[in-house]
Structures are given as C-alpha cells and as structure tokens.
Amino acid sequence: TATVTFSFSEAPTGFSASDVSATGGTVSAPTVTADSKVYTATFTPTANTNALTGAISVAANSYTDTIGNQGAASNTLSLTGDTLAPTLAITSSLSNLTAGQTAAITFNFSEAPTGFEAGDVTVTGGSLGALSGTGLTRTATFTPTDNASGIASISVANGSYTDAVGNIGGAGVTPSVSFNTIVSDPTPPPSGPTSQSLDALTSSQQTPAVFNAGTGAFALTDIIATTSFVHVSNFGADDAIAISGGGSNHLIVANDGADVLFTVNNNGTVSQITLVGVASASDIIGDLSAFNALSVGNLTYS
C-alpha cells in the first residue's frame, strides 16, 4: 500500500472519498491531519499485477473553501508497481530411483527469486546437494536414502523467498519421486547340490567333488557322490548322516564346523565316513556303535 497526501491551499469543505478518482487500485476515505489543509488516505494497488500503473486525482469543483469558493482540480499522481507473487515449479529428471542412482531436481521460478537457499527446501527420503544456477532456474542433486524404499518429497514452503520488489513467493510442490535402494545379497548362502542317493551312483560318475553344507540341514542323500572320495565342509549341528539298517534309523550329527570325508565304493556304497575336526566321540550325537555295525562302513573322527 501507499500513503497518499492531499495538500490544499485552504482548509477544504465537503472533501470525501467520492471526490478522489483512482485507477490501478483503491483509495480509502481521506482523513484530516493536525493541519486542516492536509488530508491523507491509503492507496491499495490491484493484486496479482506484474506491471501495475495507477493514477490518483481530484476533479475541479469537488470541494470548496469555508466561504463556498469552488476548489480547483488537482494534479494527477502517477503510480507504478508489481503486485504479482512469484511462483515455483519443481521437477525431477527421474521418477523412480534404484540403488546407485540420483536425480537432478530443477526449481523453475516465474521471476528471479531473492533469498532462496538450500535451507528453504524440505526433503524426505534422501538428501539434496548444493543449489546452483541463476536467474529463473536453480538445480540440485537428490540422493535417495541407502537400503530403503518409499516415496521421496522435495518441496518449498510458501513465503520462503520473494521477487525483486518483495512480493512473497508461492509454494513449490514436490515432484513424483519413488525409490528402492534395497540391494539383495549377491552371494546366496552356499547349499548342497541337488539331492541324489549314494546307492544310485555308478562307477562312471566317480569324479572329484567337494561340497559345502552351508546353512540349513544337510543330509547324506544331498550329496551327489561323483568320486570315490567326497568332501563336505561346514558340516554342523543342523546337518545329519542318517543310515537305515537293522529295522531302525541311526542318526549321527557332528558339531558345527566339521568336515566330513566320505569314501565311496565303485558300486556307490560308503565304506568309510570320517569326521574331521571332531575331537572325540562325545562330540557326536547319536548311536555310534549301532552305526559302526552297519554294512555301510565305519564312522571315525580325527
């Protein structure tokens, strides 16, 4: 707004708001000051106008002096201004981000901003790098949060900046940006090969083989016995050697971390099973004597 002063040569009679002609805005009712020859009023410009032009004047014969002489016309007061609030549009170079990706965020203003800085940007779901650019455009790099997924938000609140003449800037709404930076373990836990019974092997399948029990249960039938000597590492408490014989199953389990060496006959039967890293029979769970009595062969440890 602007304060408009009306200065008369003599104290006026009958001077009111209807005597004032105004364009480009409105003028409030004039109020007399301590000096009876001086009145003031407030000019309110038309809103949302970029190139405002205004004029204020008082026509002849709109007022008189105290004895009735008609008053002369005033000069015309010309006004210019800008009441258009600047706006902001925020865009992203990518709408979906995965691990290792970033997005270029662009801030497009309708007028060159004043006082706009990184602290005016509210970010969730990641971080925003330093702002760069001049004039109507600023840019920054958005990096999503590691090992997470969701919807990101990059926004600017209303009133965070102004234009060159002080008009309050409008809000910037976030672009649509989703992200998923969760990376699966590229190395799955080691596991045994496809299950195959030792008894089903033929002499033509006897080639070197080493297997890792890995995590999870590992049973004798999980071994493809492709050699006369089969080595299974990381044989543990969740892994078992189950041999059927004498009308019952005899279960032998080694403590975690043991290696198991199988000696396989040409006909596919096992003649010897050695537990490496097992200190004594007390480290073996099961019926050891019953197992050793089976025709499959002896179980030893070293």
Side-chain angles (χ1 to χ4, degrees):
T1 61
T3 298
V4 180
T5 301
F6 302 87
S7 299
F8 297 88
S9 60
E10 301 178 52
T13 299
F15 179 60
S16 64
S18 61
D19 300 325
V20 181
S21 175
T23 62
T26 58
V27 176
S28 64
T31 302
V32 67
T33 67
D35 184 345
S36 62
K37 297 190 298 293
V38 178
Y39 284 68
T40 60
T42 299
F43 175 77
T44 302
T46 302
N48 298 318
T49 305
N50 187 34
L52 175 73
T53 58
I56 301 171
S57 62
V58 175
N61 303 323
S62 298
Y63 61 96
T64 66
D65 62 11
T66 55
I67 61 173
N69 292 313
Q70 295 292 326
S74 71
N75 63 302
T76 298
L77 175 66
S78 296
L79 299 168
T80 60
D82 174 7
T83 61
L84 183 63
T87 59
L88 169 61
I90 307 174
T91 60
S92 173
S93 61
L94 294 174
S95 59
N96 295 283
L97 296 171
T98 58
Q101 289 185 312
T102 59
I105 305 300
T106 302
F107 302 85
N108 296 297
F109 295 89
S110 61
E111 301 179 55
T114 297
F116 179 66
E117 55 190 24
D120 298 322
V121 185
T122 301
V123 180
T124 60
S127 60
L128 195 68
L131 292 169
S132 63
T134 58
L136 300 179
T137 304
R138 303 290 187 277
T139 59
T141 299
F142 172 76
T143 302
T145 302
D146 287 337
N147 199 33
S149 64
I151 304 298
S153 177
I154 304 104
S155 62
V156 174
N158 181 65
S160 298
Y161 62 96
T162 68
D163 64 9
V165 297
N167 291 312
I168 299 299
V173 179
T174 183
S176 176
V177 180
S178 61
F179 65 96
N180 185 346
T181 58
I182 300 173
V183 179
S184 300
D185 186 353
T187 306
S191 60
T194 303
S195 178
Q196 182 174 347
S197 172
L198 289 173
D199 293 336
L201 300 177
T202 65
S203 59
S204 64
Q205 295 173 297
Q206 308 301 305
T207 56
V210 177
F211 303 114
N212 191 327
T215 59
F218 185 91
L220 186 62
T221 55
D222 292 322
I223 304 170
I224 301 176
T226 57
T227 180
S228 60
F229 180 74
V230 178
H231 177 189
V232 180
S233 63
N234 291 321
F235 203 89
D238 56 355
D239 304 313
I241 304 169
I243 302 296
S244 297
S248 63
N249 291 331
H250 304 282
L251 181 64
I252 304 297
V253 179
N255 283 351
D256 287 340
D259 288 351
V260 181
L261 309 180
F262 295 91
T263 301
V264 184
N265 300 322
N266 286 336
N267 63 3
T269 61
V270 177
S271 60
Q272 183 70 42
I273 300 175
T274 303
L275 300 179
V276 180
V278 178
S280 67
S282 62
D283 291 329
I284 301 173
I285 303 171
D287 188 346
L288 181 60
S289 60
F291 183 86
N292 284 334
L294 298 174
S295 60
V296 72
N298 292 326
L299 174 68
T300 60
Y301 48 90
S302 64

